[in-house]
Amino acid sequence: MNWLINVVRSSIGKKLCMALTGMCFCGFLIAHLAGNLTIYGGKDAFNAYAQRLHSLGALLTLAEIGLLTFALIHISVGAILFYGNLTARPQRYEMKKNTGGRSLGSATMPYTGFLLLLFIVFHLMNFHFVDKTRQSIFEIVSAAFQQPLYVVLYVTAMLVAAVHVSHGFWSAFQTLGLNHPKYMPLIRLAGLVFSLVVGAGFGFLPIYISRMT
Amino acid sequence: MTTAKTIHLTLKVVRQTGPDQKSNLETYAARNVSTDMSFLEMLDVVNEDLTLAGQDPIAFDHDCREGICGMCGAVVNGRPHGPQEGTTLCQLHMRHFEDGDEVVIEPWRSRAFKVIKDLVVDRGAFDQIIQAGGYISINTGGAPDANSLPVPKEMADQAMDAAACIGCGACVAACPNASAMLFTGAKISQLALLPQGRPEAKRRAAAMVAAMDKLGFGNCTNERECEAVCPKNISIVHIARMNREFLKAGFF
Ligand code: FES
């Protein structure tokens, strides 16, 4: 086990933690989005999807525990890296320009990450830790999005998520060593498309729901 | 070819009398600068004036002035080695500046590079990374026969690309996280790509990354600023290779 601790404690090991957990979240986003799309099938389709998901029982709990563990790793390692990088240059430059490598996503990674954490807590309180015995999930969701503030908050959060994954996606490949001059442009493009899918896919849902009833 | 012009500049130079001293920004006039001069020659002229005026000349590092040794380097107007892509500071010419320009000149900033004086920083941390494993520890004996050890052309080219690193430290200076991964990646790659370097590849990757971590460099977040300022245009492909080599060493 010593070897594993050594790897994880190294700089590249920490990057690896970020990359692997981040990739899992990308997978989760796809599954989550696919499920949410049943909203477009109407109230019953959405409720049926939720019911089928919850009928997975122990499997679902396992997935939730997995996601929670990954989230804890992603957040804590991210925080360690953020702090380490802050202290790596004690004396700032009088004048510093970006030379073209940096993107909106890469420059804001820790901040968008922090905002997403706040959002996820908020989101879980809205739709996960609520009493679902007396009303269906569809009723809870559509009631929430009757409030314009919720719609604005959710759409904004999805834009933040899109910015976060626009850097995170290709970055994970680079960290895992999967960089090949021939394929990297494709991976970067896939990352961009993925971030658009996340931003638009999730972002339109609250707007659609708010106009449903 | 355009003929040389003479331009006048205002320099804002970060001065620091010694290690652990406070630095401050001083303003100097650089008058009658020929556009045919290199950036370092321009500094020479300013220093001559400073010396004649009885002031301390601006200390800066340099050696070959041919862009091959890696000694020179300063952050010029927010960019390591100045505005020209793929060029060391000594090979940057004043024709890239306009008359009346204000030029801000600063040393590399990183916890791992201590300022010695003015623009001179101690890049000994790079040497320590190399000492940790950036070599091949076999007795080579006499030179082998030509072509007795075949190396595919692409591999040789890639190794050569990595070996173009002159260790100037611009990657660290440009990195928003002051990370040394482009340097370390290039030094690990140049050997990992060649048959002579393979036997020790794992040990080398583990040791050099460990040394890099210990020296107080930041952590790469794939910002790609390093490859954009590298005077030798070294690609982050070599960082990816280092990651692979390191993970191979860790897991297998
Ligand atoms: S002085 Fe040698 S590279 Fe600039």
Side-chain angles (χ1 to χ4, degrees), chain A residues 108-130:
Chain A
T108 56
M109 244 10 211
Y111 315 110
T112 49
F114 182 67
L115 289 177
L116 285 176
L117 172 62
L118 295 183
F119 167 75
I120 289 165
V121 172
F122 179 69
H123 178 52
L124 289 177
M125 290 194 327
N126 286 336
F127 301 138
H128 190 79
F129 299 112
V130 284

Side-chain angles (χ1 to χ4, degrees), chain B residues 40 62-72 88-90 166:
Chain B
L40 299 189
H62 63 108
D63 189 7
C64 70
R65 299 207 176 192
E66 294 185 319
I68 54 171
C69 75
M71 271 313 273
C72 67
T88 55
L89 194 61
C90 58
I166 52 177

Side-chain angles (χ1 to χ4, degrees), chain A residues 97-147:
Chain A
K97 281 201 202 108
N98 292 336
T99 325
R102 254 187 151 188
S103 66
L104 173 68
S106 75
T108 56
M109 244 10 211
Y111 315 110
T112 49
F114 182 67
L115 289 177
L116 285 176
L117 172 62
L118 295 183
F119 167 75
I120 289 165
V121 172
F122 179 69
H123 178 52
L124 289 177
M125 290 194 327
N126 286 336
F127 301 138
H128 190 79
F129 299 112
V130 284
D131 180 15
K132 288 175 194 152
T133 48
R134 264 171 298 161
Q135 42 186 348
S136 72
I137 186 69
F138 180 81
E139 282 164 343
I140 299 171
V141 170
S142 62
F145 291 128
Q146 288 315 306
Q147 297 156 264

Side-chain angles (χ1 to χ4, degrees), chain B residues 141-164:
Chain B
D145 285 345
N147 299 328
S148 62
L149 189 63
V151 179
K153 167 93 169 83
E154 284 148 54
M155 291 295 216
D157 285 349
Q158 286 176 39
M160 193 59 226
D161 288 347

Side-chain angles (χ1 to χ4, degrees), chain A residues 5-183:
Chain A
I5 294 167
N6 279 341
V7 170
V8 171
R9 281 178 63 185
S10 72
S11 54
I12 297 178
K14 291 195 202 96
K15 278 163 65 93
L16 182 72
C17 290
M18 296 305 279
L20 289 178
T21 51
M23 284 243 190
C24 290
F25 294 138
C26 286
F28 166 72
L29 283 178
I30 293 174
H32 191 355
L33 181 61
N36 282 3
L37 289 181
T38 54
I39 275 268
Y40 292 116
K43 175 183 168 166
D44 294 334
F46 187 59
N47 279 335
Y49 151 68
Q51 200 153 39
R52 238 172 300 136
L53 186 65
H54 287 282
S55 68
L56 291 175
L59 224 55
L60 186 66
T61 314
L62 199 70
E64 283 175 349
I65 292 171
L67 277 175
L68 185 66
T69 317
F70 287 169
L72 291 177
I73 294 173
H74 200 76
I75 295 162
S76 51
V77 175
I80 293 169
L81 290 174
F82 178 61
Y83 176 73
N85 287 343
L86 270 187
T87 52
R89 177 167 292 131
Q91 181 111 37
R92 309 260 123 199
Y93 287 109
E94 301 282 340
M95 186 183 196
K96 186 75 183 65
K97 281 201 202 108
N98 292 336
T99 325
R102 254 187 151 188
S103 66
L104 173 68
S106 75
T108 56
M109 244 10 211
Y111 315 110
T112 49
F114 182 67
L115 289 177
L116 285 176
L117 172 62
L118 295 183
F119 167 75
I120 289 165
V121 172
F122 179 69
H123 178 52
L124 289 177
M125 290 194 327
N126 286 336
F127 301 138
H128 190 79
F129 299 112
V130 284
D131 180 15
K132 288 175 194 152
T133 48
R134 264 171 298 161
Q135 42 186 348
S136 72
I137 186 69
F138 180 81
E139 282 164 343
I140 299 171
V141 170
S142 62
F145 291 128
Q146 288 315 306
Q147 297 156 264
L149 183 66
Y150 271 65
V151 178
V152 172
L153 269 175
Y154 269 74
V155 173
T156 317
M158 287 311 107
L159 293 179
V160 172
V163 171
H164 196 76
V165 295
S166 74
H167 179 66
F169 187 87
W170 85 269
S171 193
F173 282 84
Q174 163 75 7
T175 297
L176 292 169
L178 303 171
N179 181 336
H180 188 286
K182 195 160 134 198
Y183 298 110

Side-chain angles (χ1 to χ4, degrees), chain B:
Chain B
M1 230 190 100
T2 50
T3 45
K5 280 192 303 182
T6 305
I7 57 174
H8 309 287
L9 304 170
T10 308
L11 305 187
K12 298 212 154 164
V13 186
V14 171
R15 303 293 309 262
Q16 184 171 331
T17 49
D20 304 317
Q21 300 291 315
K22 259 187 75 81
S23 64
N24 42 351
L25 202 61
E26 303 280 351
T27 308
Y28 303 97
R31 308 202 58 79
N32 302 317
V33 174
S34 160
T35 50
D36 274 355
M37 282 180 183
S38 75
F39 198 87
L40 299 189
E41 283 168 333
M42 182 274 292
L43 286 179
D44 289 337
V45 170
V46 172
N47 275 347
E48 236 164 52
D49 291 346
L50 285 177
T51 312
L52 286 176
Q55 282 174 296
D56 200 20
I58 303 161
F60 62 89
D61 251 332
H62 63 108
D63 189 7
C64 70
R65 299 207 176 192
E66 294 185 319
I68 54 171
C69 75
M71 271 313 273
C72 67
V75 176
V76 176
N77 285 343
R79 196 186 148 135
H81 289 302
Q84 213 190 10
E85 192 238 330
T87 309
T88 55
L89 194 61
C90 58
Q91 287 295 296
L92 176 70
H93 283 81
M94 297 315 292
R95 63 184 78 101
H96 300 291
F97 294 85
E98 301 288 334
D99 191 34
D101 274 0
E102 190 179 278
V103 184
V104 182
I105 312 172
E106 303 175 63
W108 294 165
R109 292 287 192 200
S110 156
R111 178 172 50 189
F113 292 162
K114 262 210 154 151
V115 172
I116 298 169
K117 190 178 180 193
D118 297 340
L119 305 174
V120 181
V121 297
D122 178 4
R123 283 164 292 186
F126 272 7
D127 299 331
Q128 291 182 49
I129 294 175
I130 297 291
Q131 281 159 7
Y135 47 80
I136 289 168
S137 48
I138 45 165
N139 295 323
T140 51
D145 285 345
N147 299 328
S148 62
L149 189 63
V151 179
K153 167 93 169 83
E154 284 148 54
M155 291 295 216
D157 285 349
Q158 286 176 39
M160 193 59 226
D161 288 347
C165 171
I166 52 177
C168 64
C171 45
V172 176
C175 176
N177 310 314
S179 163
M181 288 214 184
L182 190 63
F183 170 80
T184 313
K187 296 303 178 193
I188 287 177
S189 281
Q190 64 181 9
L191 297 174
L193 282 160
L194 296 176
Q196 295 91 334
R198 278 321 302 173
E200 291 169 295
K202 279 187 190 174
R203 200 196 323 159
R204 176 181 310 115
M208 288 176 79
V209 170
M212 172 182 78
D213 288 350
K214 238 185 267 146
L215 289 161
F217 290 104
N219 205 313
C220 172
T221 54
N222 302 330
E223 300 267 12
R224 300 186 305 144
E225 286 291 307
C226 53
E227 67 174 3
V229 301
C230 175
K232 299 298 156 187
N233 294 109
I234 292 171
S235 157
I236 59 164
V237 165
H238 299 296
I239 298 183
R241 184 174 298 100
M242 167 179 68
N243 294 347
R244 279 203 298 278
E245 293 293 335
F246 178 80
L247 294 176
K248 263 194 264 174
F251 286 98
F252 304 105

